[in-house]
Amino acid sequence: MADTSGHADTRGSGSTAGPPGGTAAPGSSGKEGSAPRKSSWKYIGPGIVVAATGVGAGDLVATLIAGSNFGYTLLWAAVIGCLVKISLAEAAGRWHLSTGRTLFDGWASLGRWTSWFFVVYVVIWGFVYGAAAMSSSGLPLQALFPDVMDLKWWAILTGLVGLVFVWFNKYAVFEKVMTVLVGVMFVVTVYLAIRVTPHLGEAFAGLLPVLPDEKDSILNTLGLIGGVGGTITLAAYGYWVNAKGWTNTGWMKVMRLDNRVAYITTGIFVVAMLFVGAEILHSSNIAIASGDKGLIQLGDILEDEYGTATAKFFLIGFFATSFTSLIGVWHGVSLMFADFVERFRKDRAAAKTANADAPPHPASTPAPTPASGEEVASGAHEKSWPFRAYLLWLTFPPMVLLFEGQPFRLIILYGVLGAAFLPFLALTLVWLLNSSRTPPEWRNGLLSNALLTTAGLLFVVLCVKQIWDQPWADFF
């Protein structure tokens, strides 16, 4: 039975995990104690969280610039970007529910290289992202209250508020706050889209897959598709699904509805900002800066066009967009890091046991206990020291960058690792969900394989481009 809060009663369901690298154990499809729940709006939650976290200020600026440069021509690319991310998040959620194992546990079953990639990625990425997220959240506050304090102090304040909030609250409260902030984002972006009076005929024409007649139009289009709504937050979706209390296949229909809501919401944000870019910037031939400061410029333009109230309303939406990304990463990636550490500790404990017992046959060496979605659902990870250690890593070391500026070589590594993560996610999900690690009835079908493979190839192309574009000569 499910209670009114949407959490599953998992008593007696047992572990649904199989051996880390082999065939799923009997019953691993989660059939025991997992009668299908009716797909219902009252359960929606993780999808709202992943939509809020995935759409940051950078996504809104990229979409604004696309609207500014090409009008409505690339509307179809933004829609496809949402479909691509739906397939990735659905695959991550399906892995968690069908196997009872976490995504990191699945990655670990593919070999040690996945663990090395993950730990290097989250350490470097978290250090640079922490500064970027705090700065992005501080910018609209400085614009709203210009005479109070400098940007770096606003940034530090938002980081500390995010730290305290995530440290002392479990998933249920976190989800409620994210839902309120998403409501603010939704109202602001839809209001702006209506306020600029879009030309609906041109907008519908933008749904036809046409490339702009510009240099590098293919790569710009692929970049817009790949940049819609989330990077590592797509991998965190399965953890939020478990944190909600969904731990077996009985929640599969609910998860899929939740996931569609996530990317329909994302699509509305993106399309609304493309409308704003097309109508205000493209029609007036106004260019804005890339990055978060482009949104401050947009606020100034909105004030000139529509008055101070509209500009301040927009800045409130800008803050909601940035701060949801901050606390979403503070929570979701810390959950993933806690799972990584827990898996590492179990591996070491299993190895010590094996060495102490010195079994005569290698086949009798005990395998480490797989990481369970039920562990995440219990809330134990959210109070663990690895979770809180990564929270501190996201908050305090990046403050140095707010004062000293971002080190050049680290930024290049950050760009390369960030570009490599989505190909890693897409292609490992194809591997996991077509193997004996996943129960047969929940493996990929033709459509899932087509979408995930297309996503993987798209992100490989974008990864190669990003690596190619780095100033490697200066790096050395």
Side-chain angles (χ1 to χ4, degrees):
M1 292 292 291
D3 64 22
T4 55
S5 66
H7 289 257
D9 181 356
T10 53
R11 288 172 295 180
S13 60
S15 174
T16 58
T23 304
S28 63
S29 62
K31 287 183 179 179
E32 293 182 16
S34 60
R37 273 74 176 177
K38 185 178 180 181
S39 187
S40 172
W41 292 94
K42 71 179 181 179
Y43 296 129
I44 298 302
I48 297 296
V49 172
V50 78
T53 307
V55 178
D59 297 281
L60 297 188
V61 173
T63 311
L64 271 173
I65 292 175
S68 172
N69 292 339
F70 308 119
Y72 292 107
T73 306
L74 291 181
L75 181 59
W76 64 273
V79 173
I80 288 179
C82 290
L83 294 176
V84 165
K85 300 297 175 66
I86 283 176
S87 69
L88 283 166
E90 187 276 338
R94 177 155 44 95
W95 167 264
H96 276 249
L97 295 182
S98 66
T99 65
R101 297 162 64 183
T102 64
L103 184 55
F104 185 81
D105 189 62
W107 285 339
S109 74
L110 301 178
R112 287 181 179 270
W113 65 275
T114 58
S115 299
W116 284 110
F117 175 81
F118 177 78
V119 73
V120 171
Y121 173 78
V122 294
V123 169
I124 294 177
W125 180 89
F127 182 58
V128 180
Y129 180 83
M134 289 187 277
S135 180
S136 179
S137 298
L139 266 174
L141 293 175
Q142 186 193 35
L144 284 165
F145 310 102
D147 300 322
V148 176
M149 54 186 171
D150 290 341
L151 172 60
K152 58 179 173 290
W153 297 112
W154 280 117
I156 288 171
L157 178 62
T158 61
L160 292 175
V161 170
L163 170 70
V164 170
F165 171 72
V166 175
W167 188 289
F168 289 106
N169 289 292
K170 293 185 107 175
Y171 175 81
V173 176
F174 165 72
E175 182 190 287
K176 286 181 174 64
V177 171
M178 291 287 273
T179 302
V180 171
L181 292 172
V182 166
V184 173
M185 291 168 60
F186 187 88
V187 170
V188 170
T189 53
V190 171
Y191 167 78
L192 286 178
I194 295 170
R195 191 78 170 83
V196 301
T197 318
H199 291 79
L200 294 181
E202 294 179 22
F204 282 118
L207 293 173
L208 296 174
V210 175
L211 290 173
D213 187 17
E214 301 280 346
K215 182 183 177 183
D216 293 332
S217 62
I218 293 177
L219 287 174
N220 287 331
T221 303
L222 292 177
L224 181 61
I225 293 172
V228 175
T231 50
I232 194 170
T233 54
L234 291 163
Y237 178 64
Y239 288 84
W240 286 322
V241 162
N242 287 158
K244 179 75 171 175
W246 306 347
T247 57
N248 54 48
T249 55
W251 293 99
M252 197 70 76
K253 286 184 179 180
V254 176
M255 182 275 292
R256 285 171 168 163
L257 173 64
D258 179 76
N259 181 43
R260 292 185 194 108
V261 168
Y263 283 94
I264 289 171
T265 306
T266 300
I268 290 171
F269 293 150
V270 169
V271 169
M273 294 309 287
L274 192 136
F275 281 9
V276 173
E279 294 297 338
I280 292 184
L281 305 178
H282 183 69
S283 60
S284 304
N285 198 26
I286 299 172
I288 62 170
S290 60
D292 302 339
K293 291 185 179 177
L295 292 184
I296 297 295
Q297 286 180 263
L298 178 62
D300 295 337
I301 295 166
L302 288 171
E303 184 169 5
D304 292 339
E305 292 278 341
Y306 302 108
T308 302
T310 296
K312 290 193 178 301
F313 191 48
F314 165 72
L315 289 172
I316 292 170
F318 176 8
F319 172 72
T321 300
S322 297
F323 194 64
T324 51
S325 292
L326 186 152
I327 60 174
V329 166
W330 264 228
H331 187 275
V333 184
S334 297
L335 268 182
M336 295 182 70
F337 184 77
D339 187 35
F340 160 74
V341 174
E342 184 66 21
R343 169 75 197 206
F344 179 74
R345 291 168 67 187
K346 287 179 178 178
D347 280 349
R348 291 193 65 182
K352 284 182 179 179
T353 301
N355 290 334
D357 293 345
H361 302 292
S364 62
T365 301
T369 304
S372 165
E374 292 184 7
E375 290 179 55
V376 180
S378 72
H381 284 345
E382 292 169 275
K383 299 302 180 185
S384 67
W385 71 260
F387 180 91
R388 288 176 166 174
Y390 194 73
L391 266 180
L392 296 173
W393 174 253
L394 282 167
T395 307
F396 289 106
M399 289 179 184
V400 175
L401 303 184
L402 298 174
F403 290 91
E404 301 294 330
Q406 297 182 343
F408 181 73
R409 288 179 175 152
L410 193 62
I411 296 302
I412 292 179
L413 293 175
Y414 168 79
V416 169
L417 287 168
F421 185 80
L422 281 177
F424 168 79
L425 175 62
L427 297 175
T428 53
L429 283 171
V430 171
W431 189 349
L432 289 169
L433 292 168
N434 284 288
S435 73
S436 58
R437 298 169 179 84
T438 304
E441 63 269 36
W442 299 111
R443 290 176 196 163
N444 280 354
L446 288 175
L447 181 59
S448 293
N449 275 325
L451 286 171
L452 288 174
T453 303
T454 300
L457 294 175
L458 162 68
F459 295 129
V460 166
V461 170
L462 292 174
C463 177
V464 170
K465 179 182 183 298
Q466 181 133 349
I467 293 172
W468 183 265
D469 288 345
Q470 299 295 333
W472 292 106
D474 297 330
F475 182 87
F476 298 105

